[in-house]
Amino acid sequence: MHNATIKSLSEELAARKVSGVELARYFLNRIKVLNDKYNCFITLDEEASLTQARAADGIRAAGGGQPLTGIPLAQKDIFCAKGWLTTCGSRMLSNFVSPYDAHVVERLNGAGAVNLGKTNMDEFAMGSSSETSYYGPVRNPWNVDTVPGGSSGGSAAAVAARLVPGATGTDTGGSIRQPAALSGVCGLKPTYGVVSRYGMIAFASSLDQGGPLARSAEDLALLLNVMAGFDARDSTSLEREREDYARALGAPLKGTKIGLPKEFSAAGAAPGVVKAVEAAIAEYRRLGCETVEVSLPNMKLAVPVYYVLAPAEASSNLARYDGVRYGYRAPDHTDLTDLYEKTRAQGFGDEVKRRILIGTYVLSHGYYDAYYIQAQKVRRLIARDFADAFKRCDVILGATSPTTAFRLGEKMHDPVQMYLNDIYTIPANLAGLPAMSIPCGFDEKGLPVGLQLIGDYFAEARMLGIAHQYQLVTDWHTRAPQGID
Ligand code: GLN
């Protein structure tokens, strides 16, 4: 049962071959047995999950239901869920029980999905390895001595270990796609504004975007169909007509133009990654696609630009954690300033503090023009590079991450090496473009390789179709880590 996709579980639920309660119990049981090994989940609430499952079964019994009614899912712990501990992987929120639901949670609940728990993540989504969490590192089910990627590493590892068939994530600079790649699952970051940020704890608001992780492109479409939608409470939420993200899954690929950015190859991915990605490109040619070389001349500036803009926005967003209104409060303070200082010193981990320091610096008087404004200008140039590239192709293809899963601890003391891991994913966030990662093979160590697809604005349905057609003729996405099958 744990190898089944959301699509097939949904069919079984509809045919009443299995109930939502049975599914919830089955996966909760797997979580109980395996979570110690992977540390994917921060919070479980069996009673709350079973209550939702029973309600879903009631809807099905009455002849109702939507594709997700009764489907067990996990929520990245960045999404506020009413009555659930919502920590964002931080000591700062280690006592925060959310009084309200994020829009994404509201929509998934409304569709009858069953929340099985909150997943571990890098603190405030800052990281590429899920090691900066206050709750300890997540381990990669393909090799427990390696990282699952981050920041949505708990969600990615939970899907990879078949603890849940799908999960939510957020992606500011790659945090859905990179953990999907390193953990051998699928993940999609939609066009900025497609999924509401309401109730999604803010890291860098102009880049943050929620999206699904699952084991097939088809399942991603089912999840996105529910997660996407206008929400007046997020001022950057886009008011568009509802669309069915599964509508182009069957579209033939003949004549599809695939853009291969020359800067992607120049960035120097590991040989095992290059090999798997090249094999995937060859597969797409066999499926009738044409490949064209495109150029993203400013791509090399994406990481430096991101590490000005994201920390700038983070320093502002994280100013709210002061120990006064909610969250952690340091004991033994003498006055208000002391309360602020001690709370923030004790509540935040090192990486978060590093970002706040960088962000405060680049926004300070005298440096604002030189760093922040300059970075905004380069951001525009990067978006323009993509616009030019999409005049010549329908989708851009390449590696999601320059390496496969690295060893726990390997990059923790070298932040620049950690940051460079996002070289392929960050450009799409800066431009606000939709992008996804799907498994496309393994390296010589048997670790999964991710293939990244970047589309033009609102090309999600088409990208999902391009991914699905590949998944019809390959089986990388169905492979399970050793010991899991
Ligand atoms: N790894 C990047 C960072 O540390 C991206 C994280 C994310 O997408 N949330 O900022």
Side-chain angles (χ1 to χ4, degrees):
M1 185 138 78
H2 52 265
N3 278 312
T5 59
I6 294 175
K7 167 94 178 159
S8 65
L9 290 175
S10 175
E11 284 162 4
E12 291 192 19
L13 283 162
R16 315 289 308 279
K17 286 190 189 148
V18 69
S19 73
V21 169
E22 279 164 354
L23 285 181
R25 283 196 205 283
Y26 178 82
F27 283 102
L28 281 170
N29 195 43
R30 274 185 74 75
I31 294 168
K32 270 185 219 154
V33 175
L34 292 166
N35 196 49
D36 276 355
K37 196 163 165 197
Y38 307 122
N39 199 23
C40 298
F41 284 87
I42 293 175
T43 305
L44 298 169
D45 182 342
E46 191 165 339
E47 248 338 285
S49 304
L50 289 172
T51 303
Q52 274 193 312
R54 279 190 283 269
D57 286 343
I59 293 169
R60 292 272 188 196
Q66 302 168 34
L68 297 189
T69 307
I71 296 289
L73 296 175
Q75 295 283 359
K76 182 177 182 180
D77 208 19
I78 198 168
F79 286 101
C80 288
K82 193 174 175 175
W84 286 78
L85 188 65
T86 299
T87 73
C88 218
S90 182
R91 182 180 196 191
M92 192 58 98
L93 289 173
S94 55
N95 61 0
F96 176 66
V97 176
S98 177
Y100 69 103
D101 281 329
H103 187 244
V104 162
V105 172
E106 206 173 83
R107 290 194 62 88
L108 287 168
N109 287 348
V114 176
N115 180 10
L116 287 198
K118 308 292 295 289
T119 59
N120 203 350
M121 53 181 283
D122 280 300
E123 185 178 8
F124 283 103
M126 297 172 189
S128 309
S129 65
S130 300
E131 291 170 293
T132 69
S133 172
Y134 175 60
Y135 297 91
V138 181
R139 288 167 183 272
N140 190 326
W142 293 91
N143 176 344
V144 290
D145 296 326
T146 67
V147 303
S151 64
S152 314
S155 286
V159 173
R162 276 70 174 158
L163 302 185
V164 74
T168 57
T170 60
D171 192 312
T172 305
S175 277
I176 289 176
R177 291 160 286 156
Q178 187 260 13
L182 270 50
S183 301
V185 301
C186 307
L188 183 146
K189 177 198 95 70
T191 305
Y192 182 79
V194 161
V195 168
S196 167
R197 292 181 294 107
Y198 178 79
M200 195 178 105
I201 295 169
F203 162 12
S205 310
S206 78
L207 300 155
D208 296 343
Q209 187 59 201
L213 291 112
R215 289 199 312 276
S216 72
E218 198 171 25
D219 282 1
L220 292 179
L222 290 176
L223 293 172
L224 188 59
N225 271 347
V226 173
M227 293 172 72
F230 174 65
D231 174 22
R233 297 165 301 185
D234 168 4
S235 59
T236 59
S237 170
L238 295 166
E239 195 161 6
R240 289 168 53 82
E241 235 172 83
R242 285 211 71 77
E243 54 177 299
D244 174 12
Y245 292 104
R247 70 182 184 278
L249 291 178
L253 293 187
K254 202 165 168 42
T256 302
K257 285 210 178 88
I258 290 183
L260 305 173
K262 58 172 192 246
E263 293 76 11
F264 266 51
S265 5
V273 171
V274 173
K275 212 169 137 201
V277 170
E278 277 173 0
I281 293 167
E283 191 64 61
Y284 272 112
R285 287 204 189 97
R286 280 194 288 280
L287 287 166
C289 296
E290 277 173 49
T291 51
V292 287
E293 190 184 79
V294 294
S295 176
L296 303 170
N298 293 293
M299 188 181 122
K300 58 181 178 303
L301 299 173
V303 172
V305 161
Y306 175 89
Y307 279 98
V308 172
L309 297 180
E313 295 185 29
S315 71
S316 163
N317 274 325
L318 271 57
R320 72 189 70 175
Y321 304 104
D322 55 10
V324 174
R325 286 156 299 182
Y326 55 89
Y328 179 75
R329 176 183 293 179
D332 307 326
H333 45 273
T334 50
D335 56 23
L336 189 60
T337 307
D338 192 47
L339 165 71
Y340 291 157
E341 287 176 1
K342 283 196 176 132
T343 295
R344 290 169 69 83
Q346 295 165 17
F348 292 135
D350 289 350
E351 185 59 28
V352 173
K353 286 178 187 156
R354 183 180 291 130
R355 307 281 178 115
I356 293 173
L357 287 173
I358 298 171
T360 306
Y361 178 80
V362 301
L363 289 177
S364 58
H365 184 73
Y367 292 112
Y368 182 82
D369 290 336
Y371 292 107
Y372 186 74
I373 297 288
Q374 190 68 11
Q376 290 288 30
K377 289 179 182 166
V378 180
R379 179 178 191 175
R380 171 54 65 91
L381 293 179
I382 291 169
R384 240 183 243 167
D385 287 351
F386 276 112
D388 287 341
F390 284 123
K391 286 183 192 138
R392 308 188 49 225
C393 65
D394 302 301
V395 68
I396 288 172
L397 227 72
T400 306
S401 172
T403 66
T404 54
F406 43 93
R407 295 185 78 74
L408 276 150
E410 189 182 319
K411 297 187 202 286
M412 272 304 268
H413 302 289
D414 190 346
V416 173
Q417 276 311 309
M418 188 74 96
Y419 297 170
L420 285 170
N421 210 257
D422 294 331
I423 181 151
Y424 296 126
T425 48
I426 283 177
N429 298 81
L430 290 171
L433 293 165
M436 61 189 289
S437 181
I438 55 173
C440 71
F442 295 90
D443 72 355
E444 62 291 344
K445 287 175 262 172
L447 293 168
V449 177
L451 176 72
Q452 185 178 208
L453 289 78
I454 306 175
D456 206 348
Y457 299 109
F458 309 114
E460 286 86 353
R462 179 143 199 212
M463 286 163 57
L464 286 163
I466 294 171
H468 179 67
Q469 291 300 310
Y470 173 79
Q471 295 187 330
L472 287 176
V473 295
T474 57
D475 68 354
W476 305 116
H477 64 295
T478 66
R479 309 279 185 96
Q482 235 185 6
I484 293 294
D485 38 343

